[in-house]
Short mmCIF file of all heavy atoms in Angstrom, two decimals:
data_model
loop_
_atom_site.label_atom_id
_atom_site.label_comp_id
_atom_site.label_asym_id
_atom_site.label_seq_id
_atom_site.Cartn_x
_atom_site.Cartn_y
_atom_site.Cartn_z
N MET A 801 234.58 -10.98 -116.55
CA MET A 801 234.89 -9.61 -116.72
C MET A 801 234.06 -8.81 -115.91
O MET A 801 232.87 -8.98 -115.74
CB MET A 801 234.60 -9.24 -118.27
CG MET A 801 234.97 -7.86 -118.53
SD MET A 801 235.33 -7.69 -120.33
CE MET A 801 234.20 -6.45 -120.76
N ILE A 802 234.69 -7.73 -115.34
CA ILE A 802 234.01 -6.76 -114.50
C ILE A 802 233.63 -5.60 -115.38
O ILE A 802 234.35 -4.99 -116.05
CB ILE A 802 234.94 -6.24 -113.35
CG1 ILE A 802 235.25 -7.44 -112.45
CG2 ILE A 802 234.18 -5.24 -112.46
CD1 ILE A 802 236.27 -7.26 -111.40
N ALA A 803 232.26 -5.22 -115.35
CA ALA A 803 231.81 -4.13 -116.19
C ALA A 803 231.37 -2.92 -115.39
O ALA A 803 231.28 -1.78 -115.92
CB ALA A 803 230.62 -4.64 -117.09
N LYS A 804 231.09 -3.08 -114.08
CA LYS A 804 230.61 -1.97 -113.25
C LYS A 804 230.94 -2.31 -111.81
O LYS A 804 230.82 -3.39 -111.34
CB LYS A 804 229.09 -1.77 -113.40
CG LYS A 804 228.56 -0.65 -112.62
CD LYS A 804 227.09 -0.42 -112.81
CE LYS A 804 226.62 0.65 -111.93
NZ LYS A 804 225.11 0.81 -112.08
N LEU A 805 231.36 -1.24 -111.09
CA LEU A 805 231.54 -1.39 -109.64
C LEU A 805 230.72 -0.28 -108.89
O LEU A 805 230.80 0.85 -109.34
CB LEU A 805 233.01 -1.23 -109.26
CG LEU A 805 233.99 -2.33 -109.61
CD1 LEU A 805 235.43 -1.96 -109.32
CD2 LEU A 805 233.58 -3.66 -108.90
N SER A 806 230.10 -0.75 -107.84
CA SER A 806 229.33 0.25 -107.02
C SER A 806 229.77 -0.07 -105.56
O SER A 806 229.74 -1.26 -105.16
CB SER A 806 227.88 0.19 -107.19
OG SER A 806 227.55 0.53 -108.47
N GLY A 807 230.14 0.96 -104.78
CA GLY A 807 230.50 0.67 -103.48
C GLY A 807 230.88 2.01 -102.74
O GLY A 807 230.37 3.05 -103.16
N VAL A 808 231.77 1.88 -101.85
CA VAL A 808 232.22 3.09 -101.00
C VAL A 808 233.70 3.33 -101.31
O VAL A 808 234.50 2.42 -101.45
CB VAL A 808 232.06 2.79 -99.54
CG1 VAL A 808 232.64 3.93 -98.67
CG2 VAL A 808 230.66 2.52 -99.24
N VAL A 809 234.07 4.66 -101.57
CA VAL A 809 235.44 5.00 -101.85
C VAL A 809 236.23 4.78 -100.56
O VAL A 809 235.97 5.38 -99.53
CB VAL A 809 235.46 6.44 -102.38
CG1 VAL A 809 236.92 6.92 -102.50
CG2 VAL A 809 234.67 6.68 -103.62
N ASP A 810 237.22 3.94 -100.70
CA ASP A 810 238.19 3.69 -99.61
C ASP A 810 239.24 4.73 -99.58
O ASP A 810 239.59 5.35 -98.59
CB ASP A 810 238.69 2.32 -99.66
CG ASP A 810 239.56 1.96 -98.50
OD1 ASP A 810 239.06 1.74 -97.43
OD2 ASP A 810 240.77 1.87 -98.63
N SER A 811 239.91 4.97 -100.71
CA SER A 811 240.97 5.89 -100.84
C SER A 811 241.07 6.35 -102.33
O SER A 811 240.79 5.61 -103.21
CB SER A 811 242.35 5.41 -100.34
OG SER A 811 242.65 4.28 -101.17
N VAL A 812 241.58 7.57 -102.52
CA VAL A 812 241.92 8.17 -103.83
C VAL A 812 243.32 8.59 -103.92
O VAL A 812 243.79 9.26 -103.03
CB VAL A 812 240.89 9.35 -104.15
CG1 VAL A 812 241.18 9.89 -105.54
CG2 VAL A 812 239.52 8.94 -103.94
N SER A 813 244.00 8.24 -105.06
CA SER A 813 245.36 8.75 -105.25
C SER A 813 245.37 9.49 -106.58
O SER A 813 244.28 9.74 -107.17
CB SER A 813 246.36 7.60 -105.30
OG SER A 813 246.11 6.91 -106.50
N ALA A 814 246.57 9.93 -107.06
CA ALA A 814 246.63 10.69 -108.23
C ALA A 814 246.18 9.98 -109.46
O ALA A 814 245.75 10.62 -110.46
CB ALA A 814 248.05 11.24 -108.44
N GLU A 815 246.30 8.62 -109.49
CA GLU A 815 245.93 7.89 -110.73
C GLU A 815 244.93 6.76 -110.46
O GLU A 815 244.48 6.11 -111.46
CB GLU A 815 247.23 7.22 -111.20
CG GLU A 815 248.27 8.22 -111.69
CD GLU A 815 249.56 7.61 -112.14
OE1 GLU A 815 249.64 6.29 -112.07
OE2 GLU A 815 250.41 8.31 -112.60
N SER A 816 244.46 6.55 -109.25
CA SER A 816 243.61 5.48 -109.04
C SER A 816 242.73 5.62 -107.79
O SER A 816 242.94 6.59 -106.98
CB SER A 816 244.33 4.06 -108.89
OG SER A 816 245.27 4.18 -107.71
N VAL A 817 241.76 4.77 -107.59
CA VAL A 817 240.82 4.76 -106.48
C VAL A 817 240.66 3.40 -106.00
O VAL A 817 240.72 2.45 -106.76
CB VAL A 817 239.50 5.39 -106.78
CG1 VAL A 817 238.80 4.61 -107.99
CG2 VAL A 817 238.47 5.55 -105.71
N VAL A 818 240.48 3.20 -104.71
CA VAL A 818 240.19 1.89 -104.19
C VAL A 818 238.66 1.92 -103.81
O VAL A 818 238.29 2.82 -102.97
CB VAL A 818 241.00 1.51 -102.90
CG1 VAL A 818 240.52 0.17 -102.36
CG2 VAL A 818 242.52 1.36 -103.38
N ILE A 819 237.94 1.12 -104.35
CA ILE A 819 236.43 0.99 -104.08
C ILE A 819 236.14 -0.24 -103.29
O ILE A 819 236.45 -1.36 -103.73
CB ILE A 819 235.61 1.08 -105.45
CG1 ILE A 819 235.89 2.37 -106.13
CG2 ILE A 819 234.16 0.94 -105.09
CD1 ILE A 819 235.16 2.47 -107.49
N ASP A 820 235.57 -0.07 -102.15
CA ASP A 820 235.20 -1.12 -101.27
C ASP A 820 233.78 -1.59 -101.65
O ASP A 820 232.78 -0.90 -101.55
CB ASP A 820 235.15 -0.67 -99.86
CG ASP A 820 234.92 -1.85 -98.81
OD1 ASP A 820 233.96 -2.63 -99.12
OD2 ASP A 820 235.59 -1.91 -97.90
N VAL A 821 233.70 -2.82 -102.13
CA VAL A 821 232.43 -3.47 -102.57
C VAL A 821 232.23 -4.72 -101.64
O VAL A 821 232.86 -5.63 -101.73
CB VAL A 821 232.46 -3.88 -103.98
CG1 VAL A 821 231.10 -4.54 -104.42
CG2 VAL A 821 232.74 -2.76 -104.94
N ASN A 822 231.40 -4.44 -100.61
CA ASN A 822 231.04 -5.53 -99.60
C ASN A 822 232.33 -6.17 -99.02
O ASN A 822 232.44 -7.32 -98.92
CB ASN A 822 230.20 -6.57 -100.25
CG ASN A 822 228.86 -6.08 -100.62
OD1 ASN A 822 228.31 -5.20 -99.92
ND2 ASN A 822 228.33 -6.52 -101.73
N GLY A 823 233.36 -5.37 -98.68
CA GLY A 823 234.49 -5.86 -98.00
C GLY A 823 235.66 -6.25 -98.91
O GLY A 823 236.76 -6.48 -98.38
N VAL A 824 235.52 -6.08 -100.16
CA VAL A 824 236.53 -6.39 -101.04
C VAL A 824 236.97 -5.00 -101.76
O VAL A 824 236.15 -4.35 -102.32
CB VAL A 824 236.14 -7.36 -102.21
CG1 VAL A 824 237.25 -7.65 -103.18
CG2 VAL A 824 235.70 -8.71 -101.58
N GLY A 825 238.32 -4.73 -101.65
CA GLY A 825 238.81 -3.43 -102.24
C GLY A 825 239.32 -3.62 -103.64
O GLY A 825 240.23 -4.47 -103.90
N TYR A 826 238.74 -2.94 -104.61
CA TYR A 826 239.12 -2.99 -105.99
C TYR A 826 239.93 -1.80 -106.39
O TYR A 826 239.43 -0.67 -106.17
CB TYR A 826 237.85 -3.05 -106.95
CG TYR A 826 237.16 -4.38 -106.79
CD1 TYR A 826 236.11 -4.51 -105.92
CD2 TYR A 826 237.44 -5.44 -107.65
CE1 TYR A 826 235.38 -5.66 -105.79
CE2 TYR A 826 236.70 -6.65 -107.51
CZ TYR A 826 235.75 -6.78 -106.56
OH TYR A 826 235.07 -7.94 -106.52
N LEU A 827 241.18 -1.97 -106.88
CA LEU A 827 241.96 -0.89 -107.34
C LEU A 827 241.56 -0.61 -108.76
O LEU A 827 241.65 -1.42 -109.63
CB LEU A 827 243.47 -1.25 -107.30
CG LEU A 827 244.41 -0.23 -107.80
CD1 LEU A 827 244.40 1.04 -106.91
CD2 LEU A 827 245.86 -0.86 -107.84
N VAL A 828 241.17 0.69 -109.01
CA VAL A 828 240.65 1.09 -110.29
C VAL A 828 241.42 2.33 -110.81
O VAL A 828 241.38 3.31 -110.07
CB VAL A 828 239.07 1.38 -110.27
CG1 VAL A 828 238.54 1.77 -111.61
CG2 VAL A 828 238.29 0.20 -109.70
N HIS A 829 242.05 2.28 -111.87
CA HIS A 829 242.71 3.37 -112.59
C HIS A 829 241.67 4.18 -113.23
O HIS A 829 240.73 3.71 -113.82
CB HIS A 829 243.74 2.85 -113.47
CG HIS A 829 244.81 2.00 -112.85
ND1 HIS A 829 245.88 2.53 -112.22
CD2 HIS A 829 244.97 0.70 -112.76
CE1 HIS A 829 246.59 1.62 -111.74
NE2 HIS A 829 246.06 0.47 -112.06
N ALA A 830 241.77 5.55 -113.14
CA ALA A 830 240.79 6.47 -113.71
C ALA A 830 241.49 7.76 -114.05
O ALA A 830 242.56 8.11 -113.67
CB ALA A 830 239.61 6.58 -112.73
N SER A 831 240.74 8.52 -114.97
CA SER A 831 241.25 9.92 -115.26
C SER A 831 241.10 10.86 -114.12
O SER A 831 240.43 10.57 -113.16
CB SER A 831 240.34 10.45 -116.40
OG SER A 831 239.05 10.70 -115.99
N ALA A 832 241.94 11.93 -114.22
CA ALA A 832 241.84 12.93 -113.18
C ALA A 832 240.44 13.52 -112.92
O ALA A 832 240.03 13.78 -111.82
CB ALA A 832 242.79 14.06 -113.52
N ARG A 833 239.70 13.69 -113.99
CA ARG A 833 238.35 14.22 -113.95
C ARG A 833 237.43 13.25 -113.13
O ARG A 833 236.66 13.64 -112.29
CB ARG A 833 237.74 14.34 -115.30
CG ARG A 833 236.33 14.91 -115.30
CD ARG A 833 235.74 15.01 -116.63
NE ARG A 833 236.40 16.03 -117.41
CZ ARG A 833 236.21 16.22 -118.66
NH1 ARG A 833 235.44 15.45 -119.36
NH2 ARG A 833 236.93 17.14 -119.27
N THR A 834 237.53 11.94 -113.43
CA THR A 834 236.71 10.97 -112.72
C THR A 834 237.15 10.93 -111.19
O THR A 834 236.32 10.87 -110.34
CB THR A 834 236.87 9.60 -113.30
OG1 THR A 834 236.30 9.59 -114.62
CG2 THR A 834 236.10 8.49 -112.53
N LEU A 835 238.43 10.89 -110.91
CA LEU A 835 239.00 10.80 -109.61
C LEU A 835 238.56 12.01 -108.81
O LEU A 835 238.31 11.96 -107.59
CB LEU A 835 240.39 10.64 -109.61
CG LEU A 835 240.97 9.34 -110.15
CD1 LEU A 835 242.52 9.39 -110.32
CD2 LEU A 835 240.58 8.14 -109.32
N ALA A 836 238.47 13.25 -109.44
CA ALA A 836 238.16 14.46 -108.69
C ALA A 836 236.71 14.45 -108.11
O ALA A 836 236.41 15.11 -107.18
CB ALA A 836 238.38 15.68 -109.57
N ALA A 837 235.91 13.62 -108.74
CA ALA A 837 234.53 13.60 -108.33
C ALA A 837 234.25 12.60 -107.20
O ALA A 837 233.20 12.46 -106.72
CB ALA A 837 233.58 13.16 -109.54
N LEU A 838 235.31 11.80 -106.79
CA LEU A 838 235.18 10.82 -105.77
C LEU A 838 235.78 11.26 -104.45
O LEU A 838 236.87 11.84 -104.42
CB LEU A 838 235.90 9.55 -106.18
CG LEU A 838 235.39 8.97 -107.51
CD1 LEU A 838 236.28 7.78 -107.98
CD2 LEU A 838 234.00 8.50 -107.45
N ASN A 839 235.07 11.03 -103.33
CA ASN A 839 235.58 11.43 -101.99
C ASN A 839 235.61 10.20 -101.12
O ASN A 839 234.64 9.42 -101.04
CB ASN A 839 234.57 12.47 -101.39
CG ASN A 839 234.60 13.71 -102.23
OD1 ASN A 839 235.56 14.25 -102.53
ND2 ASN A 839 233.35 14.20 -102.62
N PRO A 840 236.74 10.04 -100.32
CA PRO A 840 236.84 8.92 -99.38
C PRO A 840 235.65 8.91 -98.50
O PRO A 840 235.16 9.91 -97.95
CB PRO A 840 238.07 9.28 -98.62
CG PRO A 840 238.98 9.92 -99.64
CD PRO A 840 237.84 10.89 -100.31
N GLY A 841 235.11 7.73 -98.36
CA GLY A 841 233.86 7.53 -97.52
C GLY A 841 232.56 7.70 -98.20
O GLY A 841 231.46 7.34 -97.72
N GLY A 842 232.65 8.21 -99.42
CA GLY A 842 231.39 8.52 -100.14
C GLY A 842 231.09 7.39 -101.12
O GLY A 842 231.86 6.47 -101.29
N PRO A 843 229.86 7.41 -101.73
CA PRO A 843 229.55 6.36 -102.68
C PRO A 843 230.22 6.54 -103.97
O PRO A 843 230.58 7.62 -104.36
CB PRO A 843 228.01 6.58 -102.82
CG PRO A 843 227.80 8.04 -102.49
CD PRO A 843 228.92 8.41 -101.51
N ALA A 844 230.38 5.43 -104.65
CA ALA A 844 230.94 5.44 -106.05
C ALA A 844 230.32 4.40 -106.92
O ALA A 844 229.97 3.30 -106.47
CB ALA A 844 232.48 5.05 -105.89
N SER A 845 230.13 4.74 -108.16
CA SER A 845 229.59 3.87 -109.13
C SER A 845 230.31 4.13 -110.40
O SER A 845 230.18 5.22 -111.01
CB SER A 845 228.12 4.02 -109.27
OG SER A 845 227.62 3.02 -110.21
N LEU A 846 231.14 3.27 -110.87
CA LEU A 846 231.98 3.44 -112.06
C LEU A 846 231.75 2.25 -113.13
O LEU A 846 231.62 1.12 -112.75
CB LEU A 846 233.49 3.46 -111.75
CG LEU A 846 233.95 4.61 -110.84
CD1 LEU A 846 235.50 4.32 -110.60
CD2 LEU A 846 233.73 5.91 -111.49
N LEU A 847 231.66 2.66 -114.39
CA LEU A 847 231.71 1.69 -115.39
C LEU A 847 233.16 1.26 -115.50
O LEU A 847 234.11 2.02 -115.27
CB LEU A 847 231.19 2.36 -116.72
CG LEU A 847 229.84 2.80 -116.72
CD1 LEU A 847 229.49 3.48 -118.07
CD2 LEU A 847 228.83 1.67 -116.48
N VAL A 848 233.43 -0.03 -115.76
CA VAL A 848 234.71 -0.56 -115.78
C VAL A 848 235.10 -1.26 -116.99
O VAL A 848 234.29 -1.98 -117.55
CB VAL A 848 234.90 -1.52 -114.55
CG1 VAL A 848 236.24 -2.27 -114.50
CG2 VAL A 848 234.67 -0.78 -113.24
N GLU A 849 236.30 -1.07 -117.47
CA GLU A 849 236.96 -1.86 -118.56
C GLU A 849 237.99 -2.73 -117.88
O GLU A 849 238.88 -2.22 -117.17
CB GLU A 849 237.63 -0.87 -119.58
CG GLU A 849 238.29 -1.61 -120.72
CD GLU A 849 237.30 -2.25 -121.66
OE1 GLU A 849 236.13 -1.82 -121.81
OE2 GLU A 849 237.70 -3.25 -122.30
N THR A 850 237.95 -4.04 -118.13
CA THR A 850 238.88 -4.91 -117.50
C THR A 850 239.92 -5.35 -118.59
O THR A 850 239.48 -5.81 -119.65
CB THR A 850 238.15 -6.22 -117.04
OG1 THR A 850 237.09 -5.87 -116.09
CG2 THR A 850 239.05 -7.24 -116.33
N GLN A 851 241.22 -5.16 -118.25
CA GLN A 851 242.21 -5.60 -119.19
C GLN A 851 243.06 -6.71 -118.52
O GLN A 851 243.62 -6.55 -117.42
CB GLN A 851 243.20 -4.49 -119.54
CG GLN A 851 242.47 -3.43 -120.43
CD GLN A 851 243.44 -2.47 -121.07
OE1 GLN A 851 244.56 -2.43 -120.64
NE2 GLN A 851 243.00 -1.78 -122.09
N MET A 852 243.10 -7.90 -119.17
CA MET A 852 243.81 -9.00 -118.67
C MET A 852 245.13 -9.24 -119.48
O MET A 852 245.08 -9.21 -120.71
CB MET A 852 242.99 -10.25 -118.79
CG MET A 852 241.72 -10.13 -117.86
SD MET A 852 240.63 -11.57 -118.01
CE MET A 852 241.60 -12.72 -116.99
N ARG A 853 246.20 -9.32 -118.78
CA ARG A 853 247.54 -9.49 -119.39
C ARG A 853 248.11 -10.73 -118.83
O ARG A 853 247.64 -11.36 -117.83
CB ARG A 853 248.43 -8.32 -119.24
CG ARG A 853 247.80 -7.08 -119.87
CD ARG A 853 248.77 -5.98 -119.90
NE ARG A 853 248.07 -4.78 -120.65
CZ ARG A 853 248.29 -3.56 -120.28
NH1 ARG A 853 249.09 -3.29 -119.26
NH2 ARG A 853 247.69 -2.64 -120.95
N ASP A 854 249.22 -11.24 -119.36
CA ASP A 854 249.87 -12.42 -118.88
C ASP A 854 250.31 -12.22 -117.29
O ASP A 854 250.24 -13.19 -116.57
CB ASP A 854 251.19 -12.64 -119.58
CG ASP A 854 250.84 -13.22 -121.07
OD1 ASP A 854 249.77 -13.68 -121.24
OD2 ASP A 854 251.74 -13.09 -121.93
N ASP A 855 250.68 -11.03 -116.97
CA ASP A 855 251.16 -10.83 -115.53
C ASP A 855 250.27 -10.03 -114.66
O ASP A 855 250.67 -9.82 -113.51
CB ASP A 855 252.59 -10.21 -115.57
CG ASP A 855 252.49 -8.84 -116.37
OD1 ASP A 855 251.51 -8.53 -117.14
OD2 ASP A 855 253.43 -7.91 -116.08
N ARG A 856 249.11 -9.61 -115.16
CA ARG A 856 248.24 -8.78 -114.29
C ARG A 856 246.85 -8.55 -114.86
O ARG A 856 246.68 -8.84 -116.07
CB ARG A 856 248.83 -7.53 -113.92
CG ARG A 856 248.98 -6.65 -115.13
CD ARG A 856 249.68 -5.28 -114.83
NE ARG A 856 250.23 -4.84 -116.04
CZ ARG A 856 251.29 -3.99 -116.15
NH1 ARG A 856 251.84 -3.51 -115.08
NH2 ARG A 856 251.67 -3.63 -117.27
N VAL A 857 245.96 -8.22 -113.99
CA VAL A 857 244.63 -7.78 -114.37
C VAL A 857 244.45 -6.34 -113.93
O VAL A 857 244.71 -6.03 -112.77
CB VAL A 857 243.51 -8.67 -113.73
CG1 VAL A 857 242.12 -8.15 -114.11
CG2 VAL A 857 243.70 -10.08 -114.26
N GLN A 858 244.11 -5.43 -114.85
CA GLN A 858 243.90 -4.08 -114.51
C GLN A 858 242.46 -3.62 -114.75
O GLN A 858 241.93 -4.01 -115.74
CB GLN A 858 244.94 -3.17 -115.19
CG GLN A 858 246.25 -3.29 -114.64
CD GLN A 858 247.14 -2.20 -115.26
OE1 GLN A 858 247.32 -2.22 -116.51
NE2 GLN A 858 247.75 -1.39 -114.37
N LEU A 859 241.97 -2.78 -113.86
CA LEU A 859 240.61 -2.22 -113.96
C LEU A 859 240.78 -0.74 -114.27
O LEU A 859 241.51 0.00 -113.65
CB LEU A 859 239.83 -2.47 -112.78
CG LEU A 859 239.65 -3.88 -112.25
CD1 LEU A 859 238.89 -3.96 -110.99
CD2 LEU A 859 238.94 -4.68 -113.38
N TYR A 860 240.02 -0.26 -115.32
CA TYR A 860 240.00 1.21 -115.61
C TYR A 860 238.54 1.60 -115.42
O TYR A 860 237.60 0.95 -116.01
CB TYR A 860 240.44 1.43 -117.09
CG TYR A 860 241.90 1.04 -117.27
CD1 TYR A 860 242.27 -0.26 -117.61
CD2 TYR A 860 242.88 1.96 -117.04
CE1 TYR A 860 243.60 -0.50 -117.80
CE2 TYR A 860 244.22 1.72 -117.23
CZ TYR A 860 244.55 0.41 -117.63
OH TYR A 860 245.90 0.12 -117.71
N GLY A 861 238.31 2.74 -114.67
CA GLY A 861 237.01 3.16 -114.31
C GLY A 861 236.56 4.45 -115.11
O GLY A 861 237.44 5.31 -115.24
N PHE A 862 235.35 4.55 -115.33
CA PHE A 862 234.84 5.75 -116.14
C PHE A 862 233.53 6.22 -115.45
O PHE A 862 232.67 5.40 -115.11
CB PHE A 862 234.59 5.26 -117.52
CG PHE A 862 235.82 4.67 -118.13
CD1 PHE A 862 235.98 3.33 -118.20
CD2 PHE A 862 236.88 5.47 -118.60
CE1 PHE A 862 237.09 2.69 -118.69
CE2 PHE A 862 238.00 4.90 -119.18
CZ PHE A 862 238.04 3.52 -119.23
N ALA A 863 233.31 7.49 -115.35
CA ALA A 863 232.12 8.08 -114.88
C ALA A 863 230.91 7.84 -115.78
O ALA A 863 229.76 7.79 -115.21
CB ALA A 863 232.31 9.56 -114.59
N GLY A 864 231.14 7.74 -117.06
CA GLY A 864 230.04 7.57 -117.98
C GLY A 864 230.41 6.70 -119.23
O GLY A 864 231.55 6.43 -119.44
N ALA A 865 229.35 6.36 -119.98
CA ALA A 865 229.63 5.53 -121.16
C ALA A 865 230.48 6.19 -122.20
O ALA A 865 231.28 5.58 -122.88
CB ALA A 865 228.28 5.10 -121.76
N ALA A 866 230.18 7.50 -122.45
CA ALA A 866 230.97 8.26 -123.45
C ALA A 866 232.43 8.21 -123.10
O ALA A 866 233.27 8.00 -124.07
CB ALA A 866 230.45 9.68 -123.52
N GLU A 867 232.85 8.41 -121.87
CA GLU A 867 234.27 8.37 -121.51
C GLU A 867 234.87 6.95 -121.73
O GLU A 867 235.97 6.72 -122.25
CB GLU A 867 234.50 8.77 -120.04
CG GLU A 867 235.95 8.84 -119.65
CD GLU A 867 236.13 9.24 -118.18
OE1 GLU A 867 235.09 9.19 -117.38
OE2 GLU A 867 237.25 9.68 -117.85
N ARG A 868 234.07 5.94 -121.40
CA ARG A 868 234.52 4.55 -121.55
C ARG A 868 234.61 4.14 -123.02
O ARG A 868 235.62 3.55 -123.40
CB ARG A 868 233.44 3.47 -120.90
CG ARG A 868 233.97 2.03 -121.10
CD ARG A 868 232.90 1.13 -120.70
NE ARG A 868 231.74 1.38 -121.63
CZ ARG A 868 230.44 0.99 -121.45
NH1 ARG A 868 230.22 0.47 -120.19
NH2 ARG A 868 229.52 1.24 -122.21
N ASP A 869 233.67 4.61 -123.84
CA ASP A 869 233.75 4.30 -125.29
C ASP A 869 234.97 5.05 -125.97
O ASP A 869 235.57 4.49 -126.80
CB ASP A 869 232.50 4.87 -125.98
CG ASP A 869 231.25 4.03 -125.56
OD1 ASP A 869 231.44 2.82 -124.98
OD2 ASP A 869 230.16 4.45 -125.76
N TRP A 870 235.27 6.29 -125.51
CA TRP A 870 236.42 6.87 -126.04
C TRP A 870 237.77 6.18 -125.66
O TRP A 870 238.67 6.13 -126.42
CB TRP A 870 236.48 8.39 -125.41
CG TRP A 870 237.68 9.14 -125.93
CD1 TRP A 870 237.69 9.84 -127.14
CD2 TRP A 870 238.98 9.32 -125.35
NE1 TRP A 870 238.86 10.50 -127.29
CE2 TRP A 870 239.71 10.15 -126.23
CE3 TRP A 870 239.55 8.85 -124.19
CZ2 TRP A 870 240.99 10.48 -125.88
CZ3 TRP A 870 240.86 9.16 -123.90
CH2 TRP A 870 241.56 10.00 -124.76
N PHE A 871 237.82 5.58 -124.46
CA PHE A 871 238.95 4.80 -124.02
C PHE A 871 239.27 3.63 -125.06
O PHE A 871 240.35 3.40 -125.44
CB PHE A 871 238.72 4.24 -122.64
CG PHE A 871 239.85 3.35 -122.12
CD1 PHE A 871 241.05 3.95 -121.75
CD2 PHE A 871 239.74 1.98 -122.02
CE1 PHE A 871 242.06 3.10 -121.23
CE2 PHE A 871 240.65 1.22 -121.60
CZ PHE A 871 241.90 1.72 -121.17
#
């Protein structure tokens, strides 16, 4: 399970961000508030909730523990 990601923001869309961690890009879904604080090329550190389903693995990122706990 992935609990935290720290790296460089590769790209940001309306619903997700790609964080480059040592050459591996992780697609992380996040709230508009969390995404607004991230800038391409800048640093990122997000707490992560990993959800595994039969057909996919999804990562949800949070700026802080309170936001993650609410999720």
Side-chain angles (χ1 to χ4, degrees):
M801 179 156 127
I802 298 170
K804 181 180 177 182
L805 287 175
S806 294
V808 177
V809 176
D810 185 73
S811 61
V812 180
S813 72
E815 297 179 356
S816 62
V817 60
V818 175
I819 299 177
D820 184 313
V821 180
N822 295 323
V824 177
Y826 291 89
L827 177 66
V828 182
H829 300 277
S831 69
R833 179 184 294 170
T834 297
L835 294 171
L838 301 173
N839 298 307
S845 184
L846 297 177
L847 299 175
V848 173
E849 178 71 27
T850 305
Q851 289 193 349
M852 299 178 75
R853 299 189 176 144
D854 290 338
D855 59 339
R856 65 183 155 205
V857 175
Q858 284 189 300
L859 303 177
Y860 295 91
F862 309 95
E867 185 181 15
R868 182 193 60 204
D869 292 344
W870 183 84
F871 176 75

